[in-house]
Structure formats: structure tokens, C-alpha cells
Amino acid sequence: MTLQLSVLDQSPLLQGHNEQDALAQTIALAKHVDQLGYKRFWMSEHHSTKSLAGSAPEILVSAVAAQTKYIRVGTGGVLLPHYTPYKVAETFRVLEGLYPGRIDLGIGRAPGGMPGVNYALNRGQYPDVQTYPTQVSHLIDYIIGGSPEGYEVKATPLGETVPPIHMLGSSGGSASVAGQLGTGYTFAQFINGDGHPAAIDRYYNSFIPSELMKKPHASVAVFVVVGETEEEAEFFASSLDYALLTLAQGKVRKYFPSPEEASQNKYNMYEQEAIRDNRKRMVVGDVKSVKQQLESLAETFKVNEIMINCIVSPFERRLESYTKLAKAFKL
């Protein structure tokens, strides 16, 4: 089975660029991979995070879909516990009406930022994540034209096509919910490097067909750094190594450092161990090696779609990376 490639973009602020640049680069990247033959372009939701500009992916979906022609455009994902299923359904019914057959509704359960984000988005209350499965169930009903909460309302505009729902998760618990409710499932390897194929197995084994999805569809999202040589790939990966390390240390980072800056860092033995551990979240190497690693990852997880999250600097290098992969996989 042919391995399909998609893109997960977080609108990262690269060194020497500002927030407006990051958003413009998201649009430029989407247009680039649209022409290369990638299947999907998803945008993440992060709040109060200085180094990531994508706080409202549903708005970016509209902007990206307007400037692309072929690629499916969606969220990876809307953090559902912060919102009402009805409002999310309406938003994506509008997007589906504007770009029929090209919209994906990706959802997640994580807070998506610092702890205070939970309170700021929920009027000073902490969201009840235990009701997440019920929220997803109501969202599905609203999307397909139902009124699950008994208020006798419809999520408008209604139309002939319905955006599929995909759940982005980093645990087996999310996989079970996705399977039982009949949504798609994307395992976030770029978040949980200790992820195990058992999560995907749990999704497949628990899948019940729904009105949105008759057959299960699973994928894996992972950081990728590709270079002309292994040495060059390691050089460019030093930026992501440093960024992930500082995040784990609780340091505020205003941008993703250039490899020239990051490669000069000296790490103690504990930091070196943390960097090695974070490499479980990444695929790094030359084109041939990365292709083999991605194929192996797909085989291990029993999926036929990999979502690539490539954060390297400068921006032109990001574009080149996606081009290299498209050629290697003959998209």
C-alpha cells in the first residue's frame, strides 16, 4: 500500500522572524505542499505560547483553503474541552460550505498552553475533561444535522457534504474514544515519543462504523528533519533538540533558534539524556534514511499515512525539506 504524506504545521516563530512572519509562512508552506501532492495540511492550536503563532487554527483553515486547490485542510486539532460542540460544529459547517470536500475537523483534549490557559478560556473554571467523550458524541451529532442536547437547534449551514472528524491523541485512552465513536485517529508521536503501536491497535480493535466514517483511518504525526547528509541533518536538528529541551525545563522561548546558535550549546549529562529521549519524537537523517524510517514507522503502527512536522531554520530549508520528501515518495 502506498504511504501517503501529510503536513502538521504549528506556525513556529523562527529566529529573526515575528508572529506575522510565522502566519505568512504557514500560508506559503501550505501553497507549496499543495503543489507537491501532500494529502492534508493541518494546523495546531496553542495558547499563550510565544514561539508558536497558531492560536486559532479554524481561522487559518479558512485562509489556507482559500489559497490552495487540492490539499485537504484542517485542524490538528481544535481543543474541544474549551468550547461547546455546537459552536465548533457551526464553524466547520461554514468551512465545509465554503470549501466542500476539502475540510477536516481534527480535535484534541489537551489544554494547549500554560495552566492559566484553561481558566482564561473557561471563565475562570477548569474544563471538565471527563466529559470529553460526550462532547465528541454531541459534536458528531451536530455535524451530521442532529440536535443531541435536546435544544431543537441545528448546526448551520447544512449541506450535502460533511467534514470528517479526526481525533489527535497521545494515549490509548483517546484511541479508544475515537474507535468507539467512529472517528479517525492520529497518534501524536511528536508529543509522546514513548508512544506504542498498541494505541493504534486499540483504535482499530474498538472501531465502530459511524455516519461520518465507515472504515477506520489512522495516521501518525512526527517531527522530521531531513538533510543532504546525516551530518547536515544533525546540524539542523540541533534547533529542535534545544527547543524541546528548554520547553521541558519550563523556560520561556520566544523563537526557535537557528542551527548556528543551537549547535554551539554545551549540555550536561542530564540534558544530553533528555535530548536523546526526545529523539524518539523525531525522524532525522538524509533523504534515503528518513524515507526508510518513515516507512518503518508506518509499518510498525499499521498506518498508511504519516503527518510530517518539519521545524527547521531558515524557512527556505523547511520548504526544501518537504520538496525532498515529496520526491523521495514520488507524491
Side-chain angles (χ1 to χ4, degrees):
M1 187 177 294
T2 302
L3 181 60
Q4 298 173 319
L5 298 186
S6 294
V7 178
L8 178 64
D9 181 61
Q10 296 176 291
S11 301
L13 272 71
L14 304 181
Q15 187 170 0
H17 295 271
N18 60 28
E19 291 83 354
Q20 289 74 26
D21 295 331
L23 295 174
Q25 287 168 0
T26 287
I27 303 296
L29 178 60
K31 293 168 68 175
H32 183 67
V33 297
D34 183 41
Q35 295 299 316
L36 291 174
Y38 282 79
K39 184 177 182 180
R40 308 178 201 273
F41 190 90
W42 285 4
M43 289 148 284
S44 64
E45 178 177 334
H46 287 85
H47 300 282
S48 194
T49 305
K50 293 183 179 295
S51 60
L52 300 172
S55 59
E58 65 276 19
I59 293 178
L60 284 172
V61 166
S62 186
V64 166
Q67 298 198 45
T68 53
K69 295 181 180 179
Y70 313 107
I71 199 167
R72 295 192 64 88
V73 184
T75 50
V78 169
L79 305 177
L80 191 58
H82 295 317
Y83 315 110
T84 67
Y86 181 64
K87 180 56 181 175
V88 174
E90 282 199 321
T91 298
F92 280 80
R93 288 236 53 117
V94 170
L95 289 169
E96 183 68 20
L98 290 169
Y99 311 103
R102 289 185 56 211
I103 301 299
D104 290 331
L105 170 47
I107 57 175
R109 184 176 58 180
M114 300 300 288
V117 165
N118 290 283
Y119 298 105
L121 283 171
N122 294 279
R123 301 181 182 182
Q125 303 294 316
Y126 197 89
D128 182 7
V129 296
Q130 301 303 317
T131 62
Y132 180 64
T134 300
Q135 278 193 298
V136 178
S137 177
H138 289 172
L139 176 61
I140 293 171
D141 282 346
Y142 278 128
I143 279 287
I144 62 178
S147 182
E149 297 176 290
Y151 301 133
E152 298 184 1
V153 296
K154 298 289 185 181
T156 56
L158 299 174
E160 295 181 359
T161 59
V162 178
I165 294 177
H166 298 262
M167 194 175 297
L168 184 68
S170 56
S171 70
S174 296
S176 294
V177 174
Q180 291 164 8
L181 295 178
T183 73
Y185 179 70
T186 298
F187 182 78
Q189 181 83 5
F190 74 102
I191 294 175
N192 179 12
D194 291 317
H196 193 274
I200 298 289
D201 288 337
R202 183 179 295 187
Y203 166 68
Y204 287 143
N205 293 334
S206 63
F207 185 82
I208 300 172
S210 68
E211 290 194 48
L212 287 178
M213 200 165 288
K214 303 304 181 185
K215 297 180 180 180
H217 180 86
S219 59
V220 176
V222 64
F223 285 122
V224 173
V225 180
V226 58
E228 289 292 341
T229 63
E230 293 285 341
E231 292 75 16
E232 185 183 68
E234 287 294 329
F235 173 66
F236 284 106
S238 66
S239 297
L240 196 53
D241 286 336
Y242 180 62
L244 295 178
L245 177 65
T246 55
L247 177 65
Q249 293 173 333
K251 297 177 181 179
V252 176
R253 190 185 67 249
K254 295 182 179 180
Y255 56 81
F256 284 81
S258 69
E260 287 79 10
E261 175 188 330
S263 62
Q264 299 304 311
N265 286 313
K266 304 298 182 183
Y267 301 110
N268 61 41
M269 60 182 293
Y270 302 104
E271 291 171 330
Q272 291 173 5
E273 178 60 31
I275 289 172
R276 283 192 292 270
D277 191 57
N278 276 330
R279 282 299 182 97
K280 299 174 185 176
R281 303 158 63 181
M282 304 161 60
V283 170
V284 180
D286 60 23
V287 178
K288 181 179 179 181
S289 172
V290 166
K291 183 175 185 292
Q292 291 174 342
Q293 290 180 70
L294 291 177
E295 289 173 338
S296 177
L297 185 68
E299 183 177 352
T300 299
F301 278 86
K302 302 175 186 175
V303 299
N304 68 347
E305 181 178 356
I306 300 287
M307 302 204 77
I308 306 299
N309 186 354
C310 180
I311 302 179
V312 295
S313 183
F315 177 64
E316 290 72 24
R317 175 64 62 167
R318 291 185 72 201
L319 298 179
E320 291 172 8
S321 298
Y322 285 106
T323 300
K324 286 185 173 69
L325 292 172
K327 290 180 178 179
F329 283 92
K330 299 179 181 180
L331 301 185

